[in-house]
Amino acid sequence: MAMLGLNHTTMSEFILVGFSAFPHLQLVFFLLFLLMYLFTLLGNLLIMATIWGERSLHTPMYLFLCALSVSEILYTFAIIPRMLADLLSTHRSIALTACASQMFFSFMFGFTHSFLLTVMGYDRYVAICHPLRYNVLMSPRGCACLVAWSWAGGSVMGLVVTMAIFHLTFCGPNEIHHFFCHVPPLLKLACGGNVSAIARGVGLVCIMALLGCCLLILLSYAFIVATILKIPSAEGRHKAFSTCASHLTVVVVHYGFASVIYLKPKGPQSLEGDTLMGITYTVLTPFLSPIIFSLRNKELKNAIKKTFFSKLFLQSS
């Protein structure tokens, strides 16, 4: 992070205001977010362990799901432990380098997640629209490349956004009205003639990346729906669509909350409202994702029952 232009700033640390506007609810928030975070970790670890241990799940779709679980664990780890510690602390300062690191990793893993969802949409498109060419198009090497490109794309997005923000000069006050180092509250602390240009540039890059992923997923599903409608039997149509149901549900949740954050109209909104809105994409979306995949994906749900719950039942009996 030494190359991020940190010497251009006039501050050495920030204060994360977080949930200090709700002093009587901080313990409640701590317990709630801790339980949701632990469930998110355990849910994703359960999915990864099931895919690793069940040979029938060693397919591209579940490889991508495993990579998605890894990105989700790392994304929440970049934000939530610090937030939980601040909920129990009165000293909420964060060093400039730590703030830059948190922003980089949150954007890196967040956009990696979006790119992996797009890759999963492409995988479903190939499986349903070109089943005879699936093994060629989705070879192990091809799948590994798609995952690697998703991680590389997320890293580039994180680096671009973080470098742009931390090349600004921060004049004060040093209070970030959020529970982590997010772009909008940091821009409010910056000064200089280039702040508005940087804000527009960062916003445009983020929106274009999200919309690009969203449009590619929509295009994949347009072809998928057209192909499914041509299947003569109702059972065949249901079976084909059921393989997409969990992914499509997670896409709707992920981009639904992301659009609320990035595409909301500019207007007067309370700082507390922005903080509470941040919970939707940092805590709630990662919490819902493993639930959706575990319950909506029949093959994965059966594998989890077979691998873990049957063993627990046998041990208890």
Side-chain angles (χ1 to χ4, degrees):
M1 289 297 172
M3 295 187 294
L4 294 178
L6 300 182
N7 57 324
H8 290 271
T9 64
T10 56
M11 294 181 190
S12 60
E13 64 176 26
F14 295 105
I15 306 296
L16 290 167
V17 173
F19 299 95
S20 58
F22 312 97
H24 303 299
L25 294 173
Q26 291 202 50
L27 185 58
V28 175
F29 282 149
F30 173 81
L31 293 173
L32 176 63
F33 298 153
L34 176 63
L35 288 173
M36 292 176 76
Y37 177 55
L38 291 175
F39 186 90
T40 302
L41 284 179
L42 291 173
N44 282 298
L45 289 171
L46 180 64
I47 288 172
M48 290 164 62
T50 303
I51 293 170
W52 181 267
E54 188 64 38
R55 290 192 63 83
S56 65
L57 300 182
H58 292 181
T59 61
M61 179 170 71
Y62 293 104
L63 166 70
F64 297 139
L65 179 54
C66 202
L68 196 75
S69 290
V70 173
S71 72
E72 203 153 68
I73 287 173
L74 294 173
Y75 173 73
T76 53
F77 184 73
I79 297 171
I80 299 181
R82 169 84 204 201
M83 178 187 74
L84 292 172
D86 285 344
L87 279 168
L88 297 180
S89 173
T90 54
H91 183 70
R92 302 186 181 94
S93 65
I94 182 169
L96 201 67
T97 50
C99 189
S101 297
Q102 188 183 55
M103 179 179 287
F104 169 72
F105 287 118
S106 64
F107 270 90
M108 174 188 173
F109 298 129
F111 274 100
T112 297
H113 197 82
S114 294
F115 296 147
L116 286 170
L117 284 174
T118 308
V119 167
M120 291 174 77
Y122 173 70
D123 172 71
R124 292 298 83 208
Y125 158 74
V126 175
I128 292 171
C129 301
H130 303 285
L132 298 179
R133 299 175 61 198
Y134 183 79
N135 289 334
V136 176
L137 293 173
M138 303 304 292
S139 64
R141 184 179 177 182
C143 293
C145 285
L146 287 171
V147 171
W149 277 111
S150 297
W151 283 91
S155 302
V156 169
M157 287 297 297
L159 197 60
V160 167
V161 172
T162 307
M163 287 183 70
I165 297 300
F166 281 87
H167 267 93
L168 292 170
T169 302
F170 299 102
C171 306
N174 68 338
E175 290 187 344
I176 299 174
H177 286 271
H178 215 287
F179 54 84
F180 76 107
C181 291
H182 195 37
V183 170
L186 266 170
L187 285 171
K188 292 175 182 176
L189 309 182
C191 55
N194 61 339
V195 175
S196 58
I198 293 290
R200 282 194 298 270
V202 168
L204 188 63
V205 167
C206 292
I207 289 170
M208 290 295 287
L210 284 172
L211 284 180
C213 290
C214 194
L215 288 173
L216 286 172
I217 292 171
L218 288 174
L219 189 63
S220 296
Y221 274 100
F223 286 114
I224 287 169
V225 170
T227 302
I228 288 175
L229 291 176
K230 294 176 184 176
I231 298 174
S233 68
E235 184 183 349
R237 288 194 297 270
H238 180 265
K239 186 178 179 182
F241 186 75
S242 66
T243 65
C244 308
S246 56
H247 174 255
L248 189 57
T249 308
V250 169
V251 165
V252 170
V253 171
H254 179 82
Y255 286 102
F257 286 135
S259 64
V260 168
I261 304 304
Y262 288 103
L263 303 178
K264 67 180 180 181
K266 300 294 180 185
Q269 187 172 353
S270 69
L271 298 172
E272 293 82 3
D274 284 338
T275 302
L276 292 174
M277 188 70 74
I279 293 300
T280 59
Y281 59 91
T282 55
V283 181
L284 185 59
T285 302
F287 171 76
L288 292 174
S289 184
I291 297 175
I292 294 167
F293 277 115
S294 299
L295 296 180
R296 299 281 299 182
N297 188 305
K298 189 176 180 181
E299 195 174 10
L300 180 63
K301 182 168 65 174
N302 291 337
I304 290 173
K305 287 178 181 177
K306 175 185 170 184
T307 307
F308 291 97
F309 291 111
S310 61
K311 291 180 180 178
L312 287 173
F313 179 76
L314 287 170
Q315 287 175 359
S316 62
S317 61

